[in-house]
Amino acid sequence: MSRAVLLEARNLQVHRGRVQVLAVPGLDLRAGEVLALMGPNGAGKSTLMLALAGLLPLSQGSLRFKGTELRSRSDREAYRRRMTMVFQDPLLFDATVAQNIGAGLKLRGLPAGERAPRVLAWAQRLGIGDLLDRSARHLSGGEAQRTALARALVLEPEILFLDEPFSALDAHTRDGLLDDLGHILAEAGCTAVFSTHDHGEAARLAHRLAVMREGALLQTGGLREVMNHPQDPFVAAFVGMETLLKGRVAACREGLLTLQLGKGAGGREVLAMGEAQPGQTALVGIRPEHVALSLQTDKSSSARNAFQGTVTKVIPRGPFFKVELDCGFFLAAFVTSQSLAELGLEPGSPVVASFKATAAHLIRREGLDAEV
Ligand SMILES: Nc1ncnc2c1ncn2[C@@H]1O[C@H](COP(=O)(O)OP(=O)(O)OP(=O)(O)O)[C@@H](O)[C@H]1O
């Protein structure tokens, strides 16, 4: 079911001094969706978020909230009261956790008796119900960020903006907060925009992704769409599509293409999904989580691509290991620690890597006479 558009941004442009740091032709935010703004440092994520939140003067462009354009100062002020923002730095006052969480409600004139139950409820949902009387100066980084989130959520905003909310936290703390926030946003049906440079965070929270570089949106779409069908090599690398293979299209029928890999790959062919003309040069991407490793070719497997290879590197990646292979071409796979031990994988180990044709996606086509 398609949800109503809550916020429409058109032709957003922001300059810092004479330099244009944001140029976004259009972006819509639908009610109840979580949108992740992704990009490297300086890509313009914070600038876009501040612009969407109406907190930054635009050189050009317009924002519509629930169909009404925010033209006047009072329109923008009214809009700002309906959204809240959380930053990487929790920015807590020198007061108790309860006073911090209730600060926005107090500002809105809610009496103490009405504030207390709401503060308690949100503190409990964020797992800090037993810290209400603690001074905010004596909180861990994770507790402080939970307090900042409770302070934002207690206002029941129509849009929650989160600017790199997890990046100052250690991996374990971040993991717990991501889980809790994911549940809270889903339960509350909250509309949220958050920025991150980590595709793992984006995959855990977001319904939609917008990938940015140099103040521009490179690709916007559903989580799976962008993760599996990045439209260019930069987006592919940024969303964790670690293997990119270039070759010449040997055949293509009904969306299934045979790619003959370039120099050094010994004429190996990969079956991939996509439309291209025979003779064209094409780039195909494969996500590491879609590559299976085994010690022998599994004849019962439905995977259309299977290659003998040698392990070149084993790199810990959170709960998984990334295994890099030389199959005559580079290939990366994720395995669990259990599989790693069972297969006895270490640099130099022989291994068979397999993946389905549906896991190999056409990213870009080039000319008939392009270099492979
Ligand atoms: N206050 C400012 N004055 C001048 N330039 C700025 C200011 N804030 C941001 N910029 C510039 O705008 C561009 C986008 O910055 P922005 O902070 O939006 O990127 P980002 O993607 O959020 O980066 P990061 O991940 O490092 O926070 C950068 O080139 C940055 O140097």
Side-chain angles (χ1 to χ4, degrees):
M1 194 177 70
S2 140
R3 296 156 163 164
V5 175
L6 199 59
L7 184 66
E8 295 169 71
R10 293 290 174 271
N11 186 29
L12 292 189
Q13 296 192 24
V14 173
H15 285 76
R16 298 281 198 182
R18 289 191 178 171
V19 181
Q20 179 158 19
V21 294
L22 190 74
V24 167
L27 186 64
D28 289 348
L29 184 64
R30 291 180 177 272
E33 81 177 358
V34 179
L35 170 71
L37 305 180
M38 286 189 67
N41 291 128
K45 305 180 293 295
S46 302
T47 307
L48 176 56
M49 187 166 304
L50 289 168
L52 292 174
L55 294 171
L56 204 60
L58 302 174
S59 327
Q60 262 199 56
S62 66
L63 287 177
R64 271 175 186 271
F65 181 62
K66 293 186 167 173
T68 303
E69 187 167 344
L70 308 177
R71 286 178 196 273
S72 66
R73 197 173 161 161
S74 66
D75 289 343
R76 285 192 293 275
E77 278 167 7
Y79 167 62
R80 285 205 286 265
R81 282 194 292 278
R82 293 157 89 168
M83 58 86 184
T84 53
M85 193 144 184
V86 174
F87 298 91
Q88 177 180 336
D89 181 339
L91 302 170
L92 300 180
F93 314 120
D94 186 5
T96 65
V97 167
Q99 285 165 331
N100 267 282
I101 298 176
L105 293 176
K106 190 173 177 185
L107 214 71
R108 291 181 185 189
L110 213 71
E114 288 179 40
R115 289 201 301 271
R118 286 172 65 172
V119 166
L120 176 64
W122 277 103
Q124 284 173 337
R125 285 177 89 168
L126 279 145
I128 48 170
D130 54 347
L131 298 181
L132 285 173
D133 296 326
R134 174 95 60 93
S135 158
R137 276 190 301 172
H138 301 133
L139 296 175
S140 69
E143 290 162 350
Q145 199 54 292
R146 284 174 185 268
T147 304
L149 284 164
R151 181 173 63 185
L153 284 159
V154 76
L155 296 171
E156 295 174 1
E158 294 202 54
I159 307 178
L160 177 66
F161 289 98
L162 305 160
D163 194 2
E164 302 207 27
F166 315 108
S167 52
L169 305 177
D170 67 68
H172 179 72
T173 307
R174 183 168 56 213
D175 209 45
L177 190 50
L178 267 164
D179 265 352
D180 290 353
L181 187 62
H183 286 130
I184 288 170
L185 294 179
E187 258 173 38
C190 204
T191 310
V193 181
F194 80 104
S195 62
T196 178
H197 50 261
D198 183 321
H199 61 83
E201 276 180 16
R204 284 174 65 177
L205 278 190
H207 303 116
R208 275 204 314 143
L209 296 186
V211 182
M212 302 187 70
R213 185 173 61 179
E214 294 173 2
L217 281 183
L218 295 183
Q219 188 173 351
T220 307
L223 176 70
R224 280 175 196 279
E225 172 67 19
V226 181
M227 289 278 190
N228 290 329
H229 301 280
Q231 284 167 359
D232 76 43
F234 176 86
V235 176
F238 210 77
V239 299
M241 189 168 250
E242 308 225 6
T243 302
L244 293 178
L245 301 175
K246 196 169 181 184
R248 197 169 300 284
V249 177
C252 184
R253 274 189 63 189
E254 294 169 4
L256 181 68
L257 60 87
T258 306
L259 190 74
Q260 185 159 46
L261 300 182
K263 294 181 198 105
R268 287 176 180 79
E269 290 183 346
V270 166
L271 287 177
M273 305 307 293
E275 290 288 351
Q277 275 180 48
Q280 250 181 331
T281 299
L283 193 66
V284 157
I286 304 138
R287 297 194 66 83
E289 56 270 39
H290 296 160
V291 178
L293 300 183
S294 55
L295 295 179
Q296 293 168 8
T297 308
D298 177 0
K299 295 211 169 67
S300 64
S301 162
S302 60
R304 304 282 296 270
N305 296 292
F307 300 96
Q308 289 279 349
T310 306
V311 175
T312 55
K313 271 189 195 163
V314 177
I315 305 160
R317 275 287 175 86
F320 299 100
F321 286 83
K322 182 170 85 156
V323 179
E324 293 187 356
L325 307 171
D326 178 359
C327 297
F329 57 92
F330 172 90
L331 191 61
F334 280 167
V335 295
T336 61
S337 55
Q338 195 183 357
S339 301
L340 190 80
E342 278 172 12
L343 297 171
L345 299 181
E346 56 184 25
S349 307
V351 72
V352 176
S354 53
F355 54 92
K356 295 181 179 181
T358 50
H361 303 280
L362 178 68
I363 292 175
R364 195 170 69 189
R365 287 176 291 255
E366 289 170 8
L368 287 169
D369 51 0
E371 276 267 311
V372 177

